[in-house]
Amino acid sequence: SPASDAVRLDLDEVRSLALSVLRKAGLCEAQARPVAQTITECERDGRQSHGLLRLPGCVMTINSANFNRTAEPVISELTPAVVRADACFGYSLLAFERALPQLEQKAKALGVAVLAINNCFHFSALWPEVESIARMGLASMAMTPSHAWVAPSGGMRPVLGTNPFAFGWPRADTDPYVFDFATSAMARSDIAMAKLSGQMLPDGCGLDAQGRPSNDPAAVLAGAMTTFGGHKGSALSTMIELLAGPLIGDMTSLASMDFDAGERAAPCHGELIVAFDPALLGNDDPATNQQRAEQVFAGFTDQGARLPSQQRYLTRAHNKANGIEISRELYDRILAHGGE
Ligand code: NDP
């Protein structure tokens, strides 16, 4: 039974709660469904940072001036290998859902295919996307900018976003290999949580407004976050700015911040997804290639190291059977936003 300050929900209740808030905020049904679905999947897998906690922010985004509540994505073929999905200033998720069949068909015909999502508001985790592509038998990478909150290595002013990068690899007899993380040293939501709970940050997460390393979450939120891995993370994050921004004709994190004009909506920009078909690229020997990949994974697990996504799959199995718990405080806040 839940702790007295917690509320237990099954996954259908999570989805209904999310849908009711999104509908009440005026988001059209087609957009609301995939947003509620990804929130539910994050709660199911124990990734609360992108679960129900996001609903108040979604309401703020839906109410912002630039957001299109009834956006119908426009899907087009840019080249035989490239599908473009114009989200028309709605969320990224419906555009992804509508373009996915073409991405799969192109990757399986050509060996590699690109999905460029444009003009999308983006708040979601990327692992549900690369995992669903891996379950089609395809490897993939996904990336997106955000708002300019992160200083480059050696600098002190924000230029880069928290820029997540995700990768998925299909496996024959088990769940796909998936990783997905921000290229900032710490997720912005975790820094905000630390501020709320009065905790200091570990070293290396950010700088104060004067560019000095700081462990104070308030100072870092007012100054700049830093990338993980020094100049290496800084360069990876820059790659994401370029590939999921100018390469596909869309905004960078700096441009997204300007576009927001202080409304505090979710970042608005592009997303790039590249899918690869191992059956076409692997020299006609899928069994050997799969075996080689499995040897890499066994090299981890045989010595007790865990694979990324392993924890998520375990939590998924548990939460599917038992439901999830959220704090009474969050539940009440969601009800106040029209949740039913
Ligand atoms: P984490 O630092 O928590 O890293 C998550 C990834 O690393 C997961 O794949 C996780 O697997 C794996 N992992 C964690 N610990 C280990 C370990 N000890 N050994 C092996 N693998 C491990 O993620 P972040 O906080 O950086 O990002 C969280 C989410 O935020 C991401 O889903 C990202 O997409 C999202 N995000 C979205 C943004 C947007 O604008 N849309 C912006 C920034 C972030 P497991 O799941 O099994 O624990």
Side-chain angles (χ1 to χ4, degrees), residues 7 44 141 155 161 168 171 174 203 230 240 254 260 317:
V7 177
R44 178 199 66 195
M141 301 187 296
R171 300 180 70 186
T174 186
D203 289 345
I240 294 166
L254 277 170
D260 183 62

Side-chain angles (χ1 to χ4, degrees), residues 141-293:
M141 301 187 296
M143 63 198 87
T144 184
S146 65
H147 277 332
W149 286 311
V150 182
S153 173
M156 59 174 277
R157 284 191 302 279
V159 174
L160 304 165
T162 48
N163 298 3
F165 184 88
F167 173 76
W169 177 265
R171 300 180 70 186
D173 301 316
T174 186
D175 290 317
Y177 172 91
V178 170
F179 71 74
D180 173 22
F181 45 69
T183 47
S184 52
M186 196 170 186
R188 192 164 179 86
S189 54
D190 288 342
I191 297 179
M193 292 295 287
K195 181 183 165 195
L196 277 178
S197 58
Q199 285 173 333
M200 297 303 271
L201 304 176
D203 289 345
C205 292
L207 311 170
D208 66 16
Q210 284 71 46
R212 294 172 302 215
S214 176
N215 302 88
D216 176 356
V220 169
L221 290 172
M225 299 164 68
T226 47
T227 57
F228 77 87
H231 64 282
K232 301 181 186 185
S234 185
L236 270 179
S237 181
T238 308
M239 178 194 79
I240 294 166
E241 289 288 337
L242 298 174
L243 292 182
L247 179 79
I248 59 168
D250 218 312
M251 288 193 264
T252 59
S253 297
L254 277 170
S256 169
M257 196 84 137
D258 282 349
F259 183 71
D260 183 62
E263 283 217 79
R264 298 177 64 213
C268 181
H269 42 62
E271 178 180 345
L272 180 77
I273 299 165
V274 188
F276 309 89
D277 188 353
L280 278 183
L281 296 173
N283 289 333
D284 289 334
D285 193 1
T288 304
N289 291 323
Q290 195 64 45
Q291 202 184 358
R292 287 176 176 145

Side-chain angles (χ1 to χ4, degrees), residues 47 50 122 124-126 162 179-180 182 306 309-312:
R47 294 296 166 262
H50 288 75
H122 207 299
S124 41
L126 299 180
T162 48
F179 71 74
D180 173 22
R306 87 162 168 89
S309 63
Q310 209 170 318
Q311 184 56 45
R312 206 164 46 70

